[in-house]
Amino acid sequence: MTTEPTPSYPSDVAALRERVDRGDPDAADELIELATEYGDLEELRRLADAGNSTATDQLIELAVEQGDLTELRRLADQGNTTAAEVLGELVDE
């Protein structure tokens, strides 16, 4: 379930990004959790594209929840087998 971002969401994201950039793994987990909570595909995509597998997993789950087949195709085209399998299941329905 996604919620409407609070006014502090952008500053929370910025602060967490700074911590991630300094190598804080806890900050990455917090950022993924926050982005997932708010349905922020863009932030999850950024983290996933940087190689964070947890962000990729959350991105796939959120894309499924939102019915975003384009995002699933993008991930599948990049070689993500989970996204390809999920996409195949959704298309077969």
Side-chain angles (χ1 to χ4, degrees):
M1 179 177 161
T2 59
T3 59
E4 190 66 30
T6 61
S8 66
Y9 179 74
S11 62
D12 292 344
V13 168
L16 287 168
R17 279 184 186 167
E18 286 179 25
R19 288 177 48 204
V20 169
D21 290 345
R22 289 192 306 261
D24 182 344
D26 292 333
D29 291 342
E30 290 175 43
L31 184 53
I32 292 166
E33 185 177 324
L34 187 65
T36 300
E37 178 182 336
Y38 285 103
D40 190 344
L41 287 172
E42 184 177 328
E43 187 62 36
L44 290 171
R45 186 179 305 118
R46 187 185 74 76
L47 292 164
D49 289 349
N52 187 303
S53 61
T54 303
T56 303
D57 293 342
Q58 290 300 309
L59 180 58
I60 291 169
E61 285 184 33
L62 196 55
V64 169
E65 287 176 18
Q66 294 182 1
D68 191 339
L69 299 181
T70 301
E71 184 61 34
L72 292 171
R73 281 189 192 96
R74 185 187 78 82
L75 291 166
D77 289 347
Q78 290 178 350
N80 185 292
T81 57
T82 303
E85 290 169 4
V86 169
L87 183 61
E89 291 171 11
L90 291 174
V91 171
D92 287 342
E93 290 181 356

